[in-house]
Structure formats: C-alpha cells, structure tokens
Amino acid sequence: MSRKNQTLGEFIIENQSSFKYTSGELSRLINSIRLAAKVVNHEVNKAGLVDIIGTAGDTNIQGEDQQKLDVYANDKFIQTMTKRNIVCGIASEEEDDFISINSQDENHQNKYVVLIDPLDGSSNIDVNVSVGTIFSIYRRVTPVGTPVTIDDFLQKGNQQVAAGYIVYGTSTMLVYTTGDGVNGFTLNPAIGSFYLSHPDMQFPENGKIYSVNEGNYTHFPQGIKNYIKYCQMEEGDRPYTSRYIGSLVSDFHRNMIKGGIYLYPKSSVNSEGKLRLLYECNPMAFLAEQANGKASDGFTRILDIEPTELHQRVPFICGSKNMVDKAEEFMRNA
Ligand code: AHM
Ligand code: MG
C-alpha cells in the first residue's frame, strides 16, 4: 500500500512483489538511478556558481577538471549503473554507440538494458531554467550470458518494463512507472531522501495548455498549423494558453499535472522531428499512457513504432488524451 510521505526506498521495497519478475534486479536498478539523480542534482544546483568555481574546461580551485553538466550527468549515471554491476548495457544520448557491460564475473548475467538522456534541455542550464533526466528500461532479448547487441536496444516502446524522469526544478522530483501507474517523489534536500508526494499521477482528459515552439510555425506540416490555429480560436473553452519551456521533461510534467499537450512535429528544417525515439519519446509515451494520457507521432502510437537506429528521431505529440486525439484528427484531415 503506497502512502504519501513514504520514501522512494520504502516504496520500491513494498512494491517489488507487484512486479512480474521479482528477482530484485529491477529494484536495485531503480535504486541506482535514484542515487545518481541525487549526485547530479547536487551538481545542477551549483550551476549558477560556475563563474566562481570555474567553467567547463577549466580547473577548479581544488584542482579538479570542470566538465559540462551534460557530460557530467552522463558519466555519473553510467558509472553508478556500471560499478554496481546492475545492467548489461546502456545507450545514452551522449554516446554514439551503446555500451556493453561485462558482469564482474564476465558472464553477462544481468538482464536489463537502460537507455538514457542524462541531461535533457541542457541549454536551459545557463539561464537557471529546469532541466531533466529521462530513462527507459527493457529486458534484454538476446540470451543472458552473451554480450548485448543492438537488438537489445532496438525494441518497441511497448516492451519497456520501466521508464521515468527526474526534473531538476524548483524542487527535484523523480517520477517513474513500472507499468502499474505513475508515481512522483520529491527530494527533501536537507535529508537527501525522495518522498512520495504525487501518488498515482494522471493526465486530466482535457487540458487548456499547448506547448510547441511556435518559432518554427512556418515550417510545420499543414495539420499542425491547423491544430495550432484551433488552439488559438475563441470558441468554447478556447483559446488555450501557450506554455513552452523548451525542456521536454518540464513541459511534460506541467502538462501532466494541469492538463495539456506537447508537440514537436517534423518540419521543413527537422524532417524527422527533433526528439529521439528511444530515450526521449518512448519513456515519456510509456509514462503518458500509464497516466491516462496519450502519445503519437501524429498518426501512429509512439509505443508501436519499430525502431531502426539508436538515435532515431520522430515527431512527438503527447499529453491529455482528448487533446492528442484532436491533434491527430487535424493531421489526418490536412
Ligand atoms: P536536447 O536533447 O538537445 O536537450 O534537445 C531536446 C530538447 C527538449 O527538451 C525540448 O523540448 C526541445 O529540445 C526544445 O527544442 P527547441 O529549442 O528546438 O524548441
Ligand atoms: Mg535530449
């Protein structure tokens, strides 16, 4: 039984038995993500001090090399999961190829692979605006005991066993699903523990917020242009409100709480869209569906798309179910 103020550690232990494979391996993996999130959070919070303690490429006062925060976050998540011998493979936005991790006994006994965007929206760091980490977890499809292959990573989103994000915002939250609803945990920085603050998160079926980079308007497909005009039209509960942070995790998080839609369509500039299927769209789509929302590329359910490459991009429309349905209708009819 989950209850508010439960720590994330307690929640993971109590809910372990509801997960269909109960070896504890997935729980250990989520625990290691929790740990890395705290370390990255600590560093993100110091970002404003960069002029005092040194910029990327500098050496700081303690003689340590300063790293860009996205590189730092990438290293921390990979190190945490590798050193704890918890996954058999990792793919990251920051790495060209996937990483195969040998178990300590070199037997490749771990069953899970993780795909991660270690610091999404990192251009927001310099201006003190929220950023996030996104993760997606699968069971490997190749046999345990052999090195992972690309096939372990190129799985459809509907095969995910867990997914989540960390939002480094006015407070830091970890939000995740193992396919049994979505729960959000807020970090108490004084104690260093995440507490269950948002049990069973749900997208309202309707919303009044649309989030899209309207600077790209002239390059959008006609269906998206028509939908944006629909959002702006004065009729019924419209016009909707426009809110765009430019940080997927933050825009998604707000829309899930308040009701809204996020769109990153393809355009004449980004012919495939901008966002990455495997470590941005799929995990957010899994969360959205688990929270009674919806995610689509305009025509197809995101979670049903067959991946063809690690860093594949797709158009992404995600949020309150009725809003996504409406945007799809405009795409179909354009
Ligand atoms: P990134 O992975 O390079 O940070 O890009 C992903 C980000 C999303 O978080 C955000 O929604 C989008 O890119 C913003 O893009 P744009 O500046 O083109 O609107
Ligand atoms: Mg990203």
Side-chain angles (χ1 to χ4, degrees), residues 8-214:
L8 175 55
E10 289 166 346
F11 182 91
I12 291 171
I13 293 167
E14 276 187 29
N15 287 276
Q16 184 169 309
S17 57
S18 68
F19 186 65
K20 58 182 169 178
Y21 317 102
T22 50
S23 68
E25 202 175 321
L26 183 68
S27 301
R28 287 201 303 281
L29 173 48
I30 293 169
N31 262 322
S32 73
I33 290 174
R34 169 184 73 153
L35 176 65
K38 288 190 218 175
V39 176
V40 170
N41 174 63
H42 183 67
E43 209 61 23
V44 167
N45 278 337
K46 291 194 303 190
L49 293 169
V50 83
D51 288 342
I52 301 164
I53 61 177
T55 51
D58 280 358
T59 306
N60 73 10
I61 209 158
Q62 288 96 24
E64 298 158 340
D65 289 337
Q66 295 294 291
Q67 281 179 310
K68 282 184 67 184
L69 271 174
D70 40 11
V71 178
Y72 178 87
N74 186 51
D75 289 352
K76 279 299 159 226
F77 278 101
I78 290 177
Q79 268 171 26
T80 309
M81 288 184 278
T82 310
K83 285 200 178 139
R84 297 174 150 233
N85 187 28
I86 256 165
V87 290
C88 52
I90 303 173
S92 162
E93 176 165 348
E94 298 290 331
E95 308 280 338
D96 291 341
D97 212 346
F98 65 84
I99 301 167
S100 175
I101 295 165
N102 294 342
S103 305
Q104 271 155 15
D105 59 4
E106 304 267 323
N107 267 342
H108 306 275
Q109 289 306 313
N110 295 321
K111 290 187 288 297
Y112 292 102
V113 296
V114 174
L115 296 102
I116 188 160
D117 183 351
L119 208 62
D120 184 64
S122 52
S123 61
N124 278 328
I125 283 274
D126 294 342
V127 289
N128 209 357
V129 172
S130 305
V131 290
T133 296
I134 310 172
F135 60 90
S136 167
I137 301 173
Y138 293 85
R139 282 171 80 87
R140 63 182 303 175
V141 289
T142 55
V144 171
T146 62
V148 287
T149 75
I150 187 71
D151 293 341
D152 295 310
F153 297 93
L154 297 187
Q155 299 190 52
K156 286 187 187 172
N158 59 28
Q159 296 301 306
Q160 288 173 101
V161 293
Y165 60 79
I166 298 119
V167 56
Y168 309 97
T170 42
S171 41
T172 292
M173 282 189 68
L174 192 155
V175 175
Y176 81 104
T177 182
T178 52
D180 186 23
V182 176
N183 291 287
F185 300 81
T186 302
L187 181 67
N188 179 340
I191 301 168
S193 292
F194 283 99
Y195 289 90
L196 181 60
S197 53
H198 295 63
D200 193 21
M201 297 179 83
Q202 301 269 329
F203 270 94
E205 284 213 321
N206 291 297
K208 291 198 64 174
I209 297 172
Y210 72 104
S211 314
V212 62
N213 185 342
E214 281 183 78

Side-chain angles (χ1 to χ4, degrees), residues 93 117 120-122 213 244 246-248 262 264 274-275 280:
E93 176 165 348
D117 183 351
D120 184 64
S122 52
N213 185 342
Y244 188 70
S247 180
L248 170 63
Y262 174 95
Y264 210 111
K274 177 185 181 188
L275 300 182
E280 292 178 327

Side-chain angles (χ1 to χ4, degrees), residues 226-252:
N226 294 346
Y227 179 68
I228 292 174
K229 285 294 161 217
Y230 167 87
C231 294
Q232 295 168 344
M233 202 181 292
E234 199 148 345
E235 197 181 318
D237 63 345
R238 286 169 287 138
Y240 297 155
T241 298
S242 168
R243 290 282 182 277
Y244 188 70
I245 298 170
S247 180
L248 170 63
V249 170
S250 318
D251 280 309
F252 177 100

